[in-house]
Amino acid sequence: MLVAERWQRIVQLVNERGSIRVTELSELCQVTEETIRRDLDRLESEGKLMRSHGGAVSVKEAQTEVPFMERETAYADFKNSIAKEAVSHIREHDRIILDASTTAWYMARIIPDMPLTIITNSMKVALEVSTKEKIQVISTGGLLSPKSLSYVGPLAERSLDMYHAHKLFLSCKGVHMQRGISESNELQALIKHK
């Protein structure tokens, strides 16, 4: 494979998957990891992808977050059903984490006012439960993502280290049996990973 062909293949793989690791690119392109790292540096300098720890992520427009307002009404019946089932697993005095997904917001809307602690990086979830007097709300803080109305970044990630939760409720773009969950936005993926 010529160098230019390899670069084209790398960009194609990154755009198709959203993100990919150096080790996987090394295997697929049959070159050393060091060669892949140099390729990624070059492709990043050309604006064709963005380097991340251990790999690269797509810079395609499709990888941006869909605004909360667009997501909140999509598949409302399914989200309500999921929210009802999830809320049925919450007990008094639980400490739970709700992510910035619209399904978590649907949960926040129907959680009864009971002694409970909710830790969240979602402005919408925090606002929704703020009127329930028995629920203590802890917001992660951090960098505000205007499309998702959520807090992301190092401050949000570090704040999660300070708490231990009984239960976690989060959504994701996909689930793979070996690789785990996937997300289309790297900052959201990092907070969900934490």
Side-chain angles (χ1 to χ4, degrees):
M1 178 183 299
L2 298 173
V3 175
E5 290 175 318
R6 185 174 70 239
W7 291 345
Q8 184 178 17
R9 178 76 175 132
I10 290 169
V11 171
Q12 177 189 8
L13 286 165
V14 170
N15 286 337
E16 284 173 1
R17 299 182 185 191
S19 67
I20 194 165
R21 302 198 58 76
V22 168
T23 52
E24 193 172 358
L25 284 170
S26 173
E27 291 172 16
L28 292 170
C29 295
Q30 298 180 344
V31 294
T32 66
E33 291 182 16
E34 187 56 41
T35 298
I36 292 296
R37 286 187 193 93
R38 284 192 301 269
D39 289 347
L40 294 179
D41 288 339
R42 168 84 184 244
L43 293 168
E44 183 179 46
S45 71
E46 295 175 2
K48 294 182 178 173
L49 53 77
M50 185 172 71
R51 289 293 311 266
S52 68
H53 182 71
V57 294
S58 176
V59 293
K60 276 180 30 179
E61 200 60 35
Q63 295 300 316
T64 62
E65 286 183 279
V66 176
F68 190 93
M69 301 301 195
E70 288 179 32
R71 292 183 290 124
E72 74 181 317
T73 55
Y75 309 106
D77 291 340
F78 291 118
K79 291 175 184 182
N80 266 320
S81 296
I82 293 167
K84 286 176 185 171
E85 177 63 28
V87 168
S88 76
H89 296 278
I90 298 172
R91 304 291 174 255
E92 284 192 2
H93 305 289
D94 273 350
R95 185 177 298 123
I96 66 170
I97 297 175
L98 294 178
D99 75 349
S101 66
T102 53
T103 305
W105 175 66
Y106 276 76
M107 285 179 66
R109 291 170 55 184
I110 63 171
I111 288 176
D113 190 7
M114 63 181 176
L116 183 68
T117 300
I118 295 177
I119 304 160
T120 186
N121 69 319
S122 168
M123 287 180 63
K124 293 282 282 187
V125 166
L127 284 171
E128 192 64 48
V129 295
S130 67
T131 59
K132 299 177 183 184
E133 294 180 7
K134 295 178 184 175
I135 297 178
Q136 180 181 38
V137 182
I138 300 171
S139 176
T140 62
L143 175 66
L144 178 63
S145 173
K147 285 188 177 180
S148 65
L149 299 174
S150 67
Y151 295 108
V152 293
L155 178 61
E157 292 171 43
R158 279 195 307 271
S159 71
L160 290 173
D161 287 333
M162 297 172 19
Y163 303 101
H164 297 281
H166 299 108
K167 296 170 181 137
L168 162 69
F169 299 91
L170 65 81
S171 294
C172 61
K173 296 290 183 198
V175 178
H176 188 277
M177 293 302 291
Q178 284 78 37
R179 296 182 184 151
I181 65 171
S182 61
E183 187 59 58
S184 63
N185 177 282
E186 184 177 19
L187 292 174
Q188 292 293 347
L190 290 169
I191 198 95
K192 290 179 189 217
H193 176 76
K194 180 59 84 172

